[in-house]
Each structure stands twice: as C-alpha cells, then as structure tokens.
Amino acid sequence: MADVQPPPLRSLDDFVLGSARFAAPDVRDPDRWNNRIINNLLYYQTNYLLSVLTVLLLVGYFQPLQLVVGATVVTLLFLGFVWAAENQAPIRRFRRNHPSICLLAVLLASYLFLSVLGGVAVFLFGIAFPILMVLLHASVRLRSLKNKLENKLESIGLKRTPMGLLLEAMGQEQEAGS
C-alpha cells in the first residue's frame, strides 16, 4: 500500500474541453468498450474523484445524515461483495466474467437496503449519479497517446494507483493497459 501513488490531476481541457475527443462506444464489441472504460478510469481517476466529491459535498450539505447512511451501506455491501468474491471461487469467476452485472448487483442491493431506511433520493443523487457520470464519461472519452502510455505503466506495475487497486478488487486487473 505504501507504493500507491495518486496520479496527477488532468487539465480541464484534456478532461472535457478543447482537446478532448468523444465518440459513442461500439456496443457490438463489449471487450473493446470495457477496455476503454477501464483505461479512462485509470487515466482520469483524480478528475473523477474530484467530480464525485463535488457532488457528494453538495448532497451532503443538504442531506448530511442520509448521505452518511447511504455511503455506509454502499461501502459495507461493496466490501462484503469483495470479501465473498475473494473467498468463494464461483463468485470470483462470476465477478471476473460479468463485472457490469456485479456492479449493478451491488448498487441494486444498496438501493433495496436504503429504500427500507428511507434514503432513496439521497442514494440516487448522492452516490449512484456520480458513478453514472464517471462511467458515462469513461465510455465516450476516446484515449490519447498520453493516456495509453500512462495505462501501460500502470499495467506493468511501475505505477500503483488507487483506481488500479479498486479495479483489481473488482477483478478487472487483467484488462487494464490493453
């Protein structure tokens, strides 16, 4: 954990403005689409973190208790899922073969649990909305040469980043850098 390095904040121009190139992903090639998402998650992880924190701070300002309850539920469910996937071979294989279904299962379980607690709106806007925006940007943002080089460094282990560790926990480490 000591060798984990946070990547630099990418410029707004590179992230969404002038030099940024966007295109709809090819839905007929899910492997390529998944590769684009993972590599963009690795490259823009600091920008995504700041975007998510901004939305969470806004929601937390208006609904602090529900946000804390929602974040606790999602974190506990995610940690439970990772623990189960690491200790149960069938779950590990399913996680590796169907990462989107696993993410949806964690979010759905969080939603169902929070609906019992009454924090549905806070969950949807405070937690699920930022995740949706990150995945949407990662899906449509085309990779640059610099992006590809940074991802290669991450994939061969020369750089360890927080997003790399998260993707590894979700069973996507073999995809990064492809």
Side-chain angles (χ1 to χ4, degrees), residues 68-86 91 95 101-117 119 123 127 131 166 169-170:
V68 170
V69 169
T72 302
V73 166
V74 171
T75 301
L76 290 174
L77 285 170
F78 177 74
L79 290 175
F81 171 74
V82 170
W83 177 84
E86 292 300 319
I91 297 174
R95 176 188 71 179
I101 293 172
C102 291
L103 177 64
L104 287 174
V106 169
L107 292 175
L108 181 64
S110 300
Y111 172 78
L112 293 174
F113 189 75
L114 285 173
S115 66
V116 172
L117 297 175
F123 170 73
I127 297 168
I131 291 173
L166 179 65
M170 292 295 291

Side-chain angles (χ1 to χ4, degrees), residues 11-25 32 36 40 43-44 48 136-148:
S11 70
L12 197 57
D13 187 55
D14 182 29
F15 188 55
V16 290
L17 299 176
S19 69
R21 298 176 314 137
F22 296 93
R32 188 170 175 177
R36 181 195 288 187
N40 280 331
Y43 187 71
Y44 294 111
Y48 292 145
L136 181 65
H137 182 272
S139 289
V140 299
R141 177 66 169 93
L142 296 175
R143 295 170 58 205
S144 65
L145 184 59
K146 187 176 178 185
N147 180 323
K148 292 177 184 179

